[in-house]
Amino acid sequence: MADFNWDNPYPSIRTPLLARNVVATSQPLAAQAGLRMLLKGGNAVDAAVAAAAALVVVEPVSCGLGGDAFAMVWDGAELHGLNASGPAPAAWTPEYFESRHAGELPQRGWDSVTVPGMVAGWVELAERFGKLPFSDLFEPAIELAERGYLVSSSVQRRWAAAVPHLKSQPGFKRVFMPHGRAPHIGEQFVFAEAAHGLTRIAETHGEVFYRGELAEAMAQHARQHGGALTLDDLDSYKPEWVTPIQKDFAGYTVHELPPNGQGIAALIALGIVDQLDIARYPLDSADSLHLQIEAMKLAFADTYRWVADSRHMGKVTAQDLLDDAYLAERAKLIDKKRAGEFRHGVPKGGTVYLTAADESGMMVSFIQSNYQGFGSGVVAPETGISLQNRGAGFSLDPKHPNCVAPGKRPFHTIIPGFLSKDGQPQMSFGVMGGNMQPQGHLQALVRMLCHGQQPQAACDAPRWKVDGGLALALEPSVAPEVAQELARRGHRIDPAAGGMDFGSGQFVWKTEHGYIAASDARRDGQAVGF
């Protein structure tokens, strides 16, 4: 291969895809895996599961077989929510981490691994809504794993960046450093162990992952390396069908999944900017960005204080946090000319996103993740199962609702989004990337719903990101005069903003005769359809 410089110094202008059946993901080979299911007579759920399985192979820097997932499905009549995130092992308590890790939550290794829920989520989706035989959904992923694929540019960069941090984790070097390093851009990577794991999942409808040889391999590997995950933890796991939470905004209804995820942060922020009449401020102006940024900081203050596994949130509920009167009081805290640092209020009472839609009207908003890049860095031998590190999302503060406990789900960052109008589906969407996700939801929806930007333009537009206190990261494409005005108002602009992760979005907007699909140029993404 030619010795190319893979950096592209020029803005890339994409046009949206318009078709009757669509799939949009962060990696072209995975999008095509979903498209194959649609061409085979499958529906949007079949396409989503096939694309999700392929992403485990072609974008292992973001997700693995040992990850978690969430989804929303419009089945033609109503919206369904699925929480396929796993709980803490039975042995996990604050005392467990005090004795083994000096009162710290590990970011990597087996003691950051909660029960993986993603595979069970695939099974639930396919069995409830799919049309094709379950094993058919894994054909593209198994083929990619067995024959190998050429590693794409954004995947390779994140792969290389992770190697120094994860090469000592059990199983990582053997699987993800086949030549003692990360693969180069365009180099073929064969993921034979994942081909085996995917084949056994396909053959057994996922049973082997929780009660068979793959479960035994994970539990044995955990024992050998001091982890707490057991066969009983795996055997007792089942995803949960949930009712999405919602907030009206700009004539539409925005739907997110209820806690333990941070989707509520997007709804809080939207509720606050709605109180401030955000639509009257010019698009991309300092006034508009400032109010969105301040609303997002208020939303995070409440989210990080109150949100946890919904079974453990106590007296503060999602409905309390979304109450219009409460949000009106929160909105009053914003100074329109000065950046603020906010505390939580007291109300009364590493990731891949994909979306698929078919001509029958079924729409799927789906997200899965290993959390921080490759997750824990742990790979169970001979299985292809790289495991997430969602345990790092817990708290060890006994007064916090997110405090670690046996069987409890940790605070989660990954959030699929959905939009409806007058009770009918309008858009399935998501923006992956840690705490950028609710920020991306807010920014994209303001652009589309308040200013009429088409999905691809809203996807490509410059983004901002808050990360605590007065710190603010801006993409380089934000107008210099806007950045200067934000700095004048007290925002501390991060000079290293160009190196930060501003997420990656996929958007599918329903029209009378089909869909408009957009995919983010910040990854290797692609929207495909027919």
Side-chain angles (χ1 to χ4, degrees), residues 88-168:
W92 280 15
T93 63
E95 293 73 26
Y96 175 92
F97 290 100
E98 182 65 42
S99 63
R100 294 169 62 96
H101 300 285
E104 298 289 334
L105 286 164
Q107 299 293 304
R108 309 290 186 180
W110 266 111
D111 271 346
S112 67
V113 180
T114 53
V115 177
M118 183 184 72
V119 169
W122 292 349
V123 175
E124 287 282 336
L125 287 168
E127 290 188 346
R128 184 167 182 177
F129 297 112
K131 287 174 62 178
L132 296 176
F134 188 72
S135 60
D136 287 11
L137 310 183
F138 294 85
E139 290 172 355
I142 292 168
E143 179 182 328
L144 287 163
E146 287 179 340
R147 295 188 60 188
Y149 61 94
L150 308 186
V151 176
S152 55
S153 58
S154 76
V155 167
Q156 192 278 337
R157 291 188 182 99
R158 287 176 287 146
W159 201 321
V163 161
H165 306 286
L166 299 178
K167 61 185 178 181
S168 64

Side-chain angles (χ1 to χ4, degrees), residues 154-234:
S154 76
V155 167
Q156 192 278 337
R157 291 188 182 99
R158 287 176 287 146
W159 201 321
V163 161
H165 306 286
L166 299 178
K167 61 185 178 181
S168 64
Q169 293 299 334
F172 184 88
K173 187 174 184 178
R174 185 192 73 255
V175 172
F176 293 120
M177 300 171 61
H179 304 292
R181 55 167 173 77
H184 297 310
I185 296 173
E187 186 174 1
Q188 177 159 292
F189 176 70
V190 176
F191 202 171
E193 292 187 12
H196 169 69
L198 287 161
T199 299
R200 294 297 294 131
I201 290 167
E203 291 171 343
T204 66
H205 282 237
E207 183 71 14
V208 70
F209 191 92
Y210 295 95
R211 282 164 283 281
E213 67 197 62
L214 298 183
E216 292 167 0
M218 284 186 279
Q220 181 179 357
H221 197 241
R223 286 195 303 273
Q224 291 171 345
H225 295 278
L229 190 72
T230 67
L231 282 172
D232 285 343
D233 292 322
L234 292 162

